[in-house]
C-alpha cells in the first residue's frame, strides 16, 4: 500500500496552527449547518428528533443493527449503562485506528466508515454499501486476505436469509425474533471479517 504519511510534530507551531485551522473549519461548518436548520424549521426541535433519536435509541423496530434486540430484552434500569456502552463503540476505536493507520489516512477513513456502519444504532443497507464501495481501492491487498471466500458467502447468505426469516417471523408466525437476530449477528461478523482482512494485510510488504 502506498504510504501517505503526514509527519506530526507536537513541538512544531505549524502543526498546532494546522490543527487549529481544521478545528475552526469543522466547528464553523457545524455552526452554519445548525443555524440553517433552525432558520428553515423555525425551532430547535430537530436536535432531539435527529441527534437525540440516534443516541437514545427509543425505537426498537427490528433492523440489521445490533441495538434493537438487546434493548428490547433488557431491564429498564440497566438501559442507560448499556446505552453508553453500545454508543461508545463508535468513538472508542477512533484513537487506536488513527495511531495505527497514521501513514494511511484514506484507509483510516474507510475503517471509520465501516465501524460507524457496524455499531450504528439504526444502520441501513446504504451505510454498508458506502464503505464496501471502497473495497476495490485496495484490490492489491486481496492476495493477502484470508477466508475471503467464506466472508463473501456469509454476507451473501445473510442477505438472502434476511427477508426469508423476516417473513417467517412477522407474516408466517413460524419463527421468532431469535432467528432474525442470529442472522443479524452473523451478518455483522461478516462485516467485521470483510474489514479486518485489509487491516491485517495493510502493513505486509507488497512486491
Amino acid at each position: 500500500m502506498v504510504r501517505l504519511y503526514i509527519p506530526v510534530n507536537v513541538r512544531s507551531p505549524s502543526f498546532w496552527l494546522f490543527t487549529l485551522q481544521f478545528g475552526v473549519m469543522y466547528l464553523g461548518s457545524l455552526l452554519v449547518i445548525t443555524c440553517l436548520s433552525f432558520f428553515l424549521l423555525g425551532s430547535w426541535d430537530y436536535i432531539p428528533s435527529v441527534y437525540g433519536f440516534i443516541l437514545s435509541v427509543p425505537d426498537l423496530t427490528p433492523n440489521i443493527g445490533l441495538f434493537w434486540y438487546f434493548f428490547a430484552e433488557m431491564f429498564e434500569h440497566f438501559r442507560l449503562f448499556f446505552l453508553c456502552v453500545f454508543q461508545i463503540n463508535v468513538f472508542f476505536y477512533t484513537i487506536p485506528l488513527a495511531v495505527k493507520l497514521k501513514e494511511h489516512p484514506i484507509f483510516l477513513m474507510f475503517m471509520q466508515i465501516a465501524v460507524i456502519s457496524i455499531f450504528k444504532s439504526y444502520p441501513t443497507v446504504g451505510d454498508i454499501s458506502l464503505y464496501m464501495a471502497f473495497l476495490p481501492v485496495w484490490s492489491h491487498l486481496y492476495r493477502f486476505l484470508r477466508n475471503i471466500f467464506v466472508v463473501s458467502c456469509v454476507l451473501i447468505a445473510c442477505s438472502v436469509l434476511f427477508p426469508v426469516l423476516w417473513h417467517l417471523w412477522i407474516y408466517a408466525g413460524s419463527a421468532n425474533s431469535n432467528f432474525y437476530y442470529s442472522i443479524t449477528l452473523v451478518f455483522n461478523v461478516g462485516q467485521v471479517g470483510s474489514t479486518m482482512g485489509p487491516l491485517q494485510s495493510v502493513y505486509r510488504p507488497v512486491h
Side-chain angles (χ1 to χ4, degrees), residues 8 16 18 24 40 45 50 80 84 97 106 121 139 191:
V8 176
W16 292 109
F18 181 81
V24 170
L40 288 173
D45 294 339
V50 176
L80 180 60
C84 295
L97 285 174
I106 304 300
S121 53
S139 58
Q191 288 190 79

mmCIF file of all heavy atoms in Angstrom, residues 8 16 18 24 40 45 50 80 84 97 106 121 139 191:
data_model
loop_
_atom_site.group_PDB
_atom_site.id
_atom_site.type_symbol
_atom_site.label_atom_id
_atom_site.label_comp_id
_atom_site.label_asym_id
_atom_site.label_seq_id
_atom_site.Cartn_x
_atom_site.Cartn_y
_atom_site.Cartn_z
ATOM 1 N N VAL A 8 3.889 14.326 12.109
ATOM 2 C CA VAL A 8 3.249 15.021 13.224
ATOM 3 C C VAL A 8 4.324 15.360 14.247
ATOM 4 O O VAL A 8 4.976 14.469 14.801
ATOM 5 C CB VAL A 8 2.151 14.149 13.872
ATOM 6 C CG1 VAL A 8 1.581 14.857 15.093
ATOM 7 C CG2 VAL A 8 1.070 13.828 12.861
ATOM 8 N N TRP A 16 0.310 22.850 15.305
ATOM 9 C CA TRP A 16 -0.832 23.331 16.078
ATOM 10 C C TRP A 16 -1.630 24.368 15.297
ATOM 11 O O TRP A 16 -2.855 24.428 15.434
ATOM 12 C CB TRP A 16 -0.353 23.923 17.401
ATOM 13 C CG TRP A 16 0.210 22.871 18.306
ATOM 14 C CD1 TRP A 16 1.512 22.678 18.653
ATOM 15 C CD2 TRP A 16 -0.537 21.834 18.960
ATOM 16 N NE1 TRP A 16 1.642 21.599 19.475
ATOM 17 C CE2 TRP A 16 0.407 21.054 19.691
ATOM 18 C CE3 TRP A 16 -1.877 21.492 19.003
ATOM 19 C CZ2 TRP A 16 0.022 19.953 20.445
ATOM 20 C CZ3 TRP A 16 -2.256 20.384 19.761
ATOM 21 C CH2 TRP A 16 -1.317 19.647 20.475
ATOM 22 N N PHE A 18 -1.992 24.269 12.020
ATOM 23 C CA PHE A 18 -2.719 23.419 11.086
ATOM 24 C C PHE A 18 -3.930 22.782 11.768
ATOM 25 O O PHE A 18 -5.039 22.751 11.222
ATOM 26 C CB PHE A 18 -1.770 22.346 10.551
ATOM 27 C CG PHE A 18 -2.377 21.405 9.565
ATOM 28 C CD1 PHE A 18 -2.517 21.764 8.237
ATOM 29 C CD2 PHE A 18 -2.796 20.135 9.969
ATOM 30 C CE1 PHE A 18 -3.073 20.884 7.322
ATOM 31 C CE2 PHE A 18 -3.350 19.253 9.070
ATOM 32 C CZ PHE A 18 -3.491 19.629 7.737
ATOM 33 N N VAL A 24 -11.295 24.980 13.532
ATOM 34 C CA VAL A 24 -12.173 26.129 13.294
ATOM 35 C C VAL A 24 -13.068 25.881 12.088
ATOM 36 O O VAL A 24 -14.264 26.216 12.103
ATOM 37 C CB VAL A 24 -11.337 27.412 13.111
ATOM 38 C CG1 VAL A 24 -12.211 28.563 12.633
ATOM 39 C CG2 VAL A 24 -10.637 27.780 14.419
ATOM 40 N N LEU A 40 -34.669 27.275 8.773
ATOM 41 C CA LEU A 40 -35.606 26.586 7.896
ATOM 42 C C LEU A 40 -36.805 26.038 8.660
ATOM 43 O O LEU A 40 -37.940 26.073 8.166
ATOM 44 C CB LEU A 40 -34.896 25.447 7.156
ATOM 45 C CG LEU A 40 -33.906 25.855 6.055
ATOM 46 C CD1 LEU A 40 -33.158 24.631 5.543
ATOM 47 C CD2 LEU A 40 -34.632 26.547 4.912
ATOM 48 N N ASP A 45 -36.398 21.995 17.684
ATOM 49 C CA ASP A 45 -36.944 20.665 17.945
ATOM 50 C C ASP A 45 -36.258 19.574 17.135
ATOM 51 O O ASP A 45 -36.349 18.391 17.490
ATOM 52 C CB ASP A 45 -38.447 20.640 17.642
ATOM 53 C CG ASP A 45 -39.237 21.528 18.589
ATOM 54 O OD1 ASP A 45 -38.700 21.828 19.679
ATOM 55 O OD2 ASP A 45 -40.367 21.910 18.254
ATOM 56 N N VAL A 50 -33.408 14.413 15.728
ATOM 57 C CA VAL A 50 -32.394 13.843 14.839
ATOM 58 C C VAL A 50 -31.259 13.226 15.648
ATOM 59 O O VAL A 50 -31.035 12.010 15.630
ATOM 60 C CB VAL A 50 -31.854 14.917 13.869
ATOM 61 C CG1 VAL A 50 -30.737 14.338 13.013
ATOM 62 C CG2 VAL A 50 -32.973 15.445 12.987
ATOM 63 N N LEU A 80 -29.554 2.777 30.598
ATOM 64 C CA LEU A 80 -28.601 3.869 30.448
ATOM 65 C C LEU A 80 -27.174 3.350 30.386
ATOM 66 O O LEU A 80 -26.369 3.819 29.562
ATOM 67 C CB LEU A 80 -28.755 4.870 31.593
ATOM 68 C CG LEU A 80 -27.813 6.075 31.564
ATOM 69 C CD1 LEU A 80 -28.019 6.877 30.279
ATOM 70 C CD2 LEU A 80 -28.022 6.951 32.781
ATOM 71 N N CYS A 84 -24.767 3.629 26.976
ATOM 72 C CA CYS A 84 -23.437 4.251 26.920
ATOM 73 C C CYS A 84 -22.392 3.267 26.396
ATOM 74 O O CYS A 84 -21.523 3.646 25.591
ATOM 75 C CB CYS A 84 -23.034 4.749 28.306
ATOM 76 S SG CYS A 84 -24.068 6.075 28.959
ATOM 77 N N LEU A 97 -7.165 3.409 15.945
ATOM 78 C CA LEU A 97 -7.045 3.304 14.493
ATOM 79 C C LEU A 97 -6.238 4.459 13.918
ATOM 80 O O LEU A 97 -5.444 4.277 12.992
ATOM 81 C CB LEU A 97 -8.444 3.281 13.857
ATOM 82 C CG LEU A 97 -9.224 1.974 13.983
ATOM 83 C CD1 LEU A 97 -10.631 2.140 13.457
ATOM 84 C CD2 LEU A 97 -8.515 0.839 13.255
ATOM 85 N N ILE A 106 -6.424 7.564 4.045
ATOM 86 C CA ILE A 106 -7.596 7.136 3.277
ATOM 87 C C ILE A 106 -8.130 5.813 3.809
ATOM 88 O O ILE A 106 -9.346 5.607 3.936
ATOM 89 C CB ILE A 106 -7.253 7.010 1.780
ATOM 90 C CG1 ILE A 106 -6.681 8.333 1.255
ATOM 91 C CG2 ILE A 106 -8.478 6.620 0.975
ATOM 92 C CD1 ILE A 106 -7.626 9.498 1.394
ATOM 93 N N SER A 121 -26.768 2.786 15.600
ATOM 94 C CA SER A 121 -27.988 2.316 16.259
ATOM 95 C C SER A 121 -29.090 1.973 15.266
ATOM 96 O O SER A 121 -29.890 1.075 15.513
ATOM 97 C CB SER A 121 -28.490 3.370 17.247
ATOM 98 O OG SER A 121 -28.629 4.623 16.613
ATOM 99 N N SER A 139 -7.551 -3.370 -3.942
ATOM 100 C CA SER A 139 -7.559 -4.664 -4.629
ATOM 101 C C SER A 139 -6.181 -5.318 -4.607
ATOM 102 O O SER A 139 -6.069 -6.546 -4.691
ATOM 103 C CB SER A 139 -8.031 -4.485 -6.074
ATOM 104 O OG SER A 139 -7.192 -3.565 -6.759
ATOM 105 N N GLN A 191 -19.291 -8.548 8.282
ATOM 106 C CA GLN A 191 -18.784 -7.201 8.037
ATOM 107 C C GLN A 191 -17.423 -6.988 8.700
ATOM 108 O O GLN A 191 -16.512 -6.399 8.101
ATOM 109 C CB GLN A 191 -19.775 -6.164 8.582
ATOM 110 C CG GLN A 191 -21.052 -6.022 7.797
ATOM 111 C CD GLN A 191 -21.844 -4.821 8.264
ATOM 112 O OE1 GLN A 191 -21.557 -3.685 7.924
ATOM 113 N NE2 GLN A 191 -22.856 -5.079 9.075
#
